[in-house]
Amino acid sequence: MDRYAVFGHPVRHSLSPQIHTAFAAQTGQALTYQAIEAPLDGFAATLRAFIADGGRGGNVTVPFKEEAFRLADRCDELARQAQAVNTLRVEPDGGLSGFNTDGIGLLRDLTQNLGVELRDRRVLLLGAGGAAAGVIGPLLAAGVAELVLANRTAARAATLAARFAGQGPIRTAPLEAPGEAFDLVLNATAAGLGGQAPAVPAAAFGPHTLAYDLVYGAAAAAFLALARAAGARACHDGLGMLVEQAAEAFWLWRGVRPATAPVIAALRGAA
Ligand code: NAP
């Protein structure tokens, strides 16, 4: 059986094993997928041992995405832009290819599952970490009217925006005053993991705003409650993005595209 895994720290609450096991059953692919918690200073060694033991590829989550980018022998354009890798594939020559499927996952969930039109829309992106870096390129490529980046640590947003300046209308704004009523407000901060919402004002939301948190379940509750109270039209968490980025990884490994809707529905049902 071909072996795959998700590497993170912590990782035991990851839904990825469930998602990829469902994809494999649905498409008749013979593979196993496990969650591996690597020591904070031991990701490279853990990955090497996994590959030596027959590992064919893996997903990478917090806090190892930047290290995975440096470890990969070659990376696709989206990973290069993000300087972060969330999917690794062991090639027949033993080389390690790196990909970033987060942006594709977010865009598929927004446009295909939720029916959101991105072209000419004003988008506010909260956060400037690895998740934000992974979604900026695809959002700009989708033709948004403007992408405003706001982060608690303003300097980090400025650095990230400068990296993408040649690719479309991106600018930064203070988190506490990002501008008026955006069409789409995306929370790519980790604030929800501590039960908090980022300090974004109600004025950023209006009756036409769709609010979307990249985290899912209980961790998305504080931001989505803030958005709802501020009058947002619709509020969604990032479960669909999680399944869509996984589907893209599955396709990169196996050359087969699983159906995502039944897996999203099953996970929602179990939540
Ligand atoms: P990261 O690199 O550690 O960045 C964390 C970001 O959150 C930074 O911008 C940080 O701001 C901000 N932040 C943390 N606590 C905050 C608070 N209390 N108030 C305001 N801002 C706060 O993490 P990441 O890799 O970008 O991941 C962010 C989240 O996205 C994670 O929770 C992750 O699970 C989620 N994610 C979901 C998917 C999916 O498929 N659904 C995919 C990727 C990531 P500072 O710069 O000021 O520290």
Side-chain angles (χ1 to χ4, degrees), residues 102-160:
D102 281 341
I104 293 170
L106 173 65
L107 260 70
R108 288 222 177 104
D109 195 37
L110 286 173
T111 61
Q112 294 179 15
N113 299 340
L114 302 175
V116 176
E117 174 64 60
L118 288 169
R119 180 161 295 282
D120 298 331
R121 296 296 193 260
R122 293 178 58 242
V123 180
L124 173 61
L125 178 61
L126 307 172
V135 303
I136 291 172
L139 285 168
L140 291 174
V144 298
E146 68 167 346
L147 181 56
V148 176
L149 195 56
N151 191 47
R152 181 178 60 180
T153 308
R156 218 172 155 197
T159 304
L160 194 56

Side-chain angles (χ1 to χ4, degrees), residues 64-72 75 79-81 83-85:
F64 299 127
K65 290 184 186 183
E66 286 78 14
E67 191 176 349
F69 172 68
R70 293 192 296 273
L71 284 173
C75 285
R80 270 197 300 275
Q81 284 176 8
Q83 297 180 15
V85 155

Side-chain angles (χ1 to χ4, degrees), residues 38-247:
L40 287 174
D41 60 353
F43 170 59
T46 305
L47 179 66
R48 267 197 302 274
F50 176 73
I51 293 171
D53 204 26
R56 297 282 310 276
N59 290 122
V60 184
T61 185
V62 181
F64 299 127
K65 290 184 186 183
E66 286 78 14
E67 191 176 349
F69 172 68
R70 293 192 296 273
L71 284 173
D73 299 305
R74 53 194 91 98
C75 285
D76 75 346
E77 183 54 28
L78 291 174
R80 270 197 300 275
Q81 284 176 8
Q83 297 180 15
V85 155
N86 78 338
T87 302
L88 289 164
R89 184 175 69 199
V90 180
E91 302 296 350
D93 66 1
L96 202 52
S97 295
F99 306 88
N100 192 312
T101 67
D102 281 341
I104 293 170
L106 173 65
L107 260 70
R108 288 222 177 104
D109 195 37
L110 286 173
T111 61
Q112 294 179 15
N113 299 340
L114 302 175
V116 176
E117 174 64 60
L118 288 169
R119 180 161 295 282
D120 298 331
R121 296 296 193 260
R122 293 178 58 242
V123 180
L124 173 61
L125 178 61
L126 307 172
V135 303
I136 291 172
L139 285 168
L140 291 174
V144 298
E146 68 167 346
L147 181 56
V148 176
L149 195 56
N151 191 47
R152 181 178 60 180
T153 308
R156 218 172 155 197
T159 304
L160 194 56
R163 206 196 308 157
F164 287 90
Q167 292 183 40
I170 184 168
R171 66 181 173 86
T172 60
L175 183 59
E176 295 75 13
E180 296 292 306
F182 290 83
D183 297 308
L184 181 62
V185 180
L186 298 167
N187 182 22
T189 75
L193 303 183
Q196 293 181 311
V200 64
F205 304 87
H208 60 290
T209 304
L210 184 138
Y212 188 103
D213 200 325
L214 274 64
V215 303
Y216 52 85
F223 171 72
L224 297 182
L226 171 83
R228 218 170 276 122
R233 168 177 69 84
C235 298
H236 298 278
D237 75 1
L239 185 68
M241 171 182 173
L242 181 76
V243 175
E244 295 295 344
Q245 63 78 28

